[in-house]
Amino acid sequence: MNILSLIIPIIGTGLYLSLDRIKPQLVKIPNNYLRTYNAYHNVSLSFFSLYIFLYLSYVIFVEKGIHFQHHYYLNDTKVVNAIGFVYASKYYEYMDTVFLLANKKTPIFLQKFHHVGAVWIWYLAYQNRCDFIVYSSWLNCMVHTVMYAYYLFSMYVKVPKYVKQTITTLQIGQLTVGLVILPYAYSPFENRVQWLVMQSFACYVMCLLVLFSLFMWNTYRVKTG
């Protein structure tokens, strides 16, 4: 792993965690500009996720087949580039928090943990050529295609509450699949670094499962009394 490459996620994480400090400036952005850019943001991420999902579907199910071994998919430069774009998109997804702050809302801990953790997991897996990230990217892009499309439509029409609940269920589902299947499928590892990356991935996903489950319960439970 190139040590110099650590500079990018370190700086990115630092900038992201300091976004709260520029909230007073963000709220001054005119609503028409903010709404337009937010729409383009959701459109671009939804179509980007769909493109990567379809490409990785072709790679996994047609071109190369389903294999659980290291340096199988990531021996292909085109696949490496696709994962590189997914990794880069994790920085752009920081804009989700920017839009919340600009709209005078406070992002919850789940969102901050999710965004920061995703950057580091994709960085570590991409740098160390851990093939499990191909399946993780495939699942992630599938959910993000739907999620950002929902964000877009909800800006213009009233979307039924069950749609948002369904998306949260999909997020929990992709995390569960990743946690249950991938660590098992990619064992044993080629080296200790890949083992550590997989353990980091497992810890991150377990934390997300807890946070998303609590969010699901607190947001959608039927309140009585």
Side-chain angles (χ1 to χ4, degrees), residues 35-78:
R35 185 177 178 82
T36 300
Y37 184 36
N38 196 356
Y40 282 121
H41 169 80
N42 292 328
V43 168
S44 61
L45 280 177
S46 183
F47 275 101
F48 168 79
S49 298
L50 177 61
Y51 175 80
I52 297 295
F53 169 71
L54 293 175
Y55 171 69
L56 292 180
S57 296
Y58 171 75
V59 169
I60 294 170
F61 298 108
V62 179
E63 184 179 45
K64 297 183 180 296
I66 300 175
H67 289 272
F68 297 106
Q69 63 189 69
H70 293 288
H71 292 168
Y72 178 76
Y73 296 111
L74 295 181
N75 267 332
D76 188 323
T77 302
K78 292 184 294 184

Side-chain angles (χ1 to χ4, degrees), residues 3 18 22 55 123 155 163 170 174 213 215:
I3 299 300
S18 64
I22 63 171
Y55 171 69
Y123 163 77
M155 292 176 63
V163 176
L170 284 174
Q174 68 146 339
S213 298
F215 173 81

Side-chain angles (χ1 to χ4, degrees), residues 68-168:
F68 297 106
Q69 63 189 69
H70 293 288
H71 292 168
Y72 178 76
Y73 296 111
L74 295 181
N75 267 332
D76 188 323
T77 302
K78 292 184 294 184
V79 179
V80 171
N81 290 339
I83 301 305
F85 283 124
V86 175
Y87 164 52
S89 74
K90 298 307 169 188
Y91 292 98
Y92 182 64
E93 287 171 14
Y94 285 171
M95 289 301 299
D96 292 349
T97 300
V98 172
F99 288 125
L100 277 179
L101 293 171
N103 283 298
K104 301 179 182 180
K105 297 179 181 178
T106 302
I108 61 176
F109 175 76
L110 166 59
Q111 186 181 54
K112 290 185 174 181
F113 180 81
H114 189 184
H115 282 311
V116 171
V119 161
W120 283 98
I121 290 299
W122 259 266
Y123 163 77
L124 291 171
Y126 176 71
Q127 287 291 324
N128 293 285
R129 296 298 188 265
C130 299
D131 264 33
F132 77 83
I133 204 64
V134 173
Y135 288 100
S136 297
S137 297
W138 178 69
L139 289 168
N140 185 253
C141 287
M142 175 186 65
V143 173
H144 278 200
T145 299
V146 178
M147 185 181 75
Y148 283 105
Y150 161 77
Y151 289 158
L152 176 66
F153 286 116
S154 64
M155 292 176 63
Y156 301 99
V157 297
K158 186 175 181 179
V159 181
K161 187 176 180 180
Y162 71 84
V163 176
K164 184 178 180 180
Q165 184 174 356
T166 301
I167 292 173
T168 304

